[in-house]
Each structure stands twice: as structure tokens, then as C-alpha cells.
Amino acid sequence: MTLAEVLKGATDYLVSRGIDTARVDAELLLARALGLTRIELYTQHDRPLTESERSAARELVQRRGQREPLAYVLGDWDFRRLRLKTDSRALVPRPETEIVVERCLALLEGAEAPRIADVGTGTGAIALALKQERPDASLVATDASLDALALARENAEANGLDVRFVEADLLAGIEGPFDLIVSNPPYVDADEFEQLEPELAWEPRAALLDQGQTSRLARQARAVLDGWVVLEVHALRAREVAEELSTSGYQSVSISLDLAGRERVVEARWARTALSNGP
């Protein structure tokens, strides 16, 4: 079979498995299995594949057909300027989270050597992107999962970035003050979990299921923050989170949209002088 025939067969199989991005996924999987670029798939489209090449491609395509996340099958994923190792120890970094990083960078513009805390770091995506793009910043990243922290450390080492990783429940035991606290906490409701795409069943449930982490973090942050908090939130609850921050004493509360135009990022400012007057 030629490369073109294998590519078509992989695409048809993924379509039959209900994958909307079947063609792109098939290209990425075959390119990885064969050690080619996506362009080379077409420049070599009439090249017959060996049995070992077909076997390598088949393994990856079948994994994706079982609805394992593409990032897990590939083993790495691009996030802003980074390439991150990805596996079931942490959530796959989402495109909307890049908006979170953009908002952090905008808020930190003009700040010298800012201190930043990334809460619930997962793969380390947010912390590592901020460190790469603001090398003068001091970064601490927390997670309650030792497995996620191990993955984040591997990504930090692979990208040559210096971030301090700490096992913690949100900000418990973390000393400030910080100029910015950022988090993508779990925000999927239990009653909507089963309605989401099958790929989420492969990702760590604790990192997805909302158990009030956003509210707890907003309260904890006030003790160690003298600056901004930036939160990725459920698209249907951004205004609720913004109102909660406002009523608890945060100022300059605003909401940013994600790439699909949904209310996704809530940011607010907390001054330590407000501690004596805040609720």
C-alpha cells in the first residue's frame, strides 16, 4: 500500500469513530509514525510503505480511534512557543489557556522581576510559558498531584526553564507576596461530565471536576497577593466568578473572551492594603 492509500484509510477509520478532525489527526499520526513532516506525506504520497511502517502507523491510529486524546497519542503538544510532553498524568493544554497567558503578560507589562504563582500547574504549561516569555520573573507552580508535578518538572527540564514546583492544595503553605496569581482550576460540573467528549475520560478526573477550587483560591490568594489574579473559568460562569471577586473586595474586575468568543478569563486586582478592610 502507498502512503496515500494508508492516509486515506486512516482518515476513513477516524471518521467512522466520530472524530471531527479526522484528516488532520491522520496526517499528524502518520507523520509521527513515519518520521516525516505533514508536507512530506504528500511529496511522498506514492511511496509504498513497509510492513513495519504500516504497523507503526496502525498502532497510533487505533489508539486515536479509541478516542484517546491526540496529544496523548503523539506524546507531546505545542503550547505557545513550547513543546510539552503530554500524557495521562495531567490535562492536555487547551488553546483557550493561551489567552490566559496573554492576559498575564499584558498585566505584567512594565513590572520588574515579577513574582508569579501558577496554581494547579498540570503539565506546567502556564508557568513555563510565562517563564519563557518573561525570563526575569520568579515562578512557583503548585499542584496537589505528584504525578502532574513530575510531568511539569520533566517539561521544565526539557525546555531549560527554571520554575519551582511545589506539592500543595492550591496555595496552602505558599509564601507571598506575589505580583500575579494565575490558575486554570477544575470547572466541569459533575452533572455535565458524562455529556462531554469521550477524550475527557482519558484525562485525570480530579483536574476536571469542579469542587469549589475557584472560590477557595480566590479566598486564599488575598493573603499572599499584591497585584493581579487571573482565572480560566467555565464559559457559563464567568460573570458569577467576576461578581464573587468583586463582592469579596477585589478591584478592576474584568472578563476576556476565548478564541471562540466565549467568556473564559476573569481577572481582578487585590492590594494588600485591602486586607484590613476586605471581608
Side-chain angles (χ1 to χ4, degrees):
M1 295 181 69
T2 66
L3 198 161
E5 291 171 328
V6 172
L7 178 58
K8 182 181 184 304
T11 301
D12 291 345
Y13 170 72
L14 295 180
V15 168
S16 74
R17 302 296 296 175
I19 296 173
D20 294 335
T21 55
R23 181 68 178 194
V24 172
D25 287 16
E27 290 175 352
L28 291 169
L29 292 167
L30 262 66
R32 180 59 56 87
L34 302 176
L36 302 174
T37 65
R38 288 173 68 187
I39 292 177
E40 288 173 331
L41 294 178
Y42 293 95
T43 60
Q44 301 182 27
H45 70 280
D46 57 351
R47 175 170 72 82
L49 297 188
T50 66
E51 180 55 39
S52 63
E53 288 176 325
R54 290 170 56 189
S55 177
R58 185 183 306 114
E59 179 184 355
L60 297 186
V61 171
Q62 288 179 344
R63 286 175 60 187
R64 182 68 183 108
Q66 294 169 1
R67 302 304 292 267
E68 185 176 352
L70 179 62
Y72 287 176
V73 180
L74 293 173
D76 55 51
W77 202 243
D78 290 340
F79 183 81
R80 291 183 70 83
R81 304 173 188 173
L82 298 166
R83 176 155 291 184
L84 302 172
K85 181 177 181 179
T86 46
D87 58 40
S88 59
R89 288 177 288 178
L91 297 182
V92 176
R94 266 63 173 184
E96 52 264 32
T97 305
E98 296 198 18
I99 305 299
V100 175
V101 175
E102 289 179 7
R103 291 307 308 146
C104 290
L105 292 170
L107 293 169
L108 291 170
E109 189 172 351
E112 295 185 8
R115 292 195 67 203
I116 304 170
D118 172 28
V119 180
T121 195
T123 61
I126 293 175
L128 295 173
L130 289 173
K131 182 62 178 178
Q132 184 184 63
E133 298 178 49
R134 282 297 304 263
D136 63 320
S138 174
L139 266 295
V140 58
T142 73
D143 207 293
S145 166
L146 288 174
D147 285 341
L149 287 171
L151 178 59
R153 290 189 180 100
E154 291 169 21
N155 281 323
E157 182 176 357
N159 286 279
L161 296 168
D162 181 18
V163 171
R164 183 167 67 96
F165 295 100
V166 180
E167 180 190 6
D169 176 18
L170 302 179
L171 285 165
I174 304 300
E175 295 183 2
F178 292 101
D179 299 287
L180 185 141
I181 294 173
V182 58
S183 182
N184 176 15
Y187 54 72
V188 176
D189 287 335
D191 59 1
E192 67 180 343
F193 192 86
E194 302 303 328
Q195 304 169 24
L196 299 176
E197 58 267 25
E199 283 79 358
L200 288 177
W202 295 80
E203 300 189 69
R205 190 181 182 97
L208 290 163
L209 197 58
D210 185 358
Q211 296 181 320
Q213 290 96 328
T214 300
S215 295
R216 289 200 298 120
L217 175 58
R219 291 193 298 271
Q220 287 185 18
R222 294 183 299 178
V224 293
L225 178 63
D226 190 6
W228 294 93
V229 62
V230 180
L231 304 169
E232 182 174 328
V233 300
H234 194 298
L236 299 179
R237 291 198 293 277
R239 298 190 184 192
E240 176 186 326
V241 172
E243 178 63 23
E244 181 179 350
L245 290 174
S246 181
T247 56
S248 62
Y250 285 86
Q251 301 174 341
S252 304
V253 182
S254 65
I255 298 172
S256 297
L257 306 181
D258 64 15
L259 299 172
R262 296 167 297 197
E263 295 181 332
R264 181 65 67 186
V265 183
V266 179
E267 61 194 57
R269 185 169 182 81
W270 178 267
R272 294 197 62 154
T273 54
L275 280 171
S276 59
N277 301 317

